[in-house]
Amino acid sequence: MLTSEQAESLKLGILLTDGNLLKVESAFEWISDNTTLEIDITDIDALEALPASVRLFIVRFVEIMSMGAGVQSESAEGLSQSFSSTDKGTLIWQYAEELLGKWLKSSVRFVTAEKRW
């Protein structure tokens, strides 16, 4: 479990409410499952030494997980709404490819075809 002190050592620049702490911890679980990075969240020195791209991914992960489902923008006076069709998983993978690319585990494997259809 991630403590407030551990999360503060990351210097993420986000409000560390209970909900956001849970999202930061979830980001570390995502990183553990999908990258070759091995991060000990109990070691504050290791957290402080994380590359900026990893910390930025965590911030983006929290932002994505905080988004409302489907609503991208609203206007009160004009009574209009814009909806996004991009799901949260796709956005997370886009940021992961941009920020964690060299550490991502390969989830796609290409195989040479032996014969045509």
Side-chain angles (χ1 to χ4, degrees):
M1 180 193 279
L2 187 70
T3 66
S4 295
E5 182 184 7
Q6 292 162 333
E8 286 172 9
S9 71
L10 293 166
K11 299 179 181 137
L12 299 175
I14 59 175
L15 185 60
L16 294 172
T17 62
D18 288 341
N20 281 348
L21 278 175
L22 190 57
K23 291 171 189 166
V24 170
E25 191 172 349
S26 294
F28 278 112
E29 288 177 5
W30 193 97
I31 290 168
S32 175
D33 291 343
N34 296 289
T35 71
T36 58
L37 288 167
E38 294 182 18
I39 303 168
D40 179 6
I41 64 171
T42 62
D43 182 357
I44 290 181
D45 292 332
L47 292 176
E48 289 175 348
L50 282 176
S53 59
V54 175
R55 292 194 316 262
L56 183 56
F57 173 79
I58 294 168
V59 170
R60 296 295 180 239
F61 186 95
V62 170
E63 289 173 355
I64 291 167
M65 297 310 286
S66 299
M67 289 181 355
V71 177
Q72 186 175 13
S73 65
E74 294 181 298
S75 175
E77 299 266 334
L79 300 174
S80 65
Q81 286 184 324
S82 298
F83 294 91
S84 172
S85 61
T86 306
D87 67 318
K88 293 179 181 183
T90 301
L91 288 173
I92 290 170
W93 274 102
Q94 285 175 348
Y95 281 117
E97 288 170 354
E98 291 174 17
L99 299 169
L100 307 175
K102 63 184 174 183
W103 298 292
L104 278 179
K105 293 178 184 174
S106 179
S107 61
V108 177
R109 196 176 111 198
F110 294 96
V111 179
T112 307
E114 292 184 22
K115 57 183 172 180
R116 297 174 85 77
W117 297 84

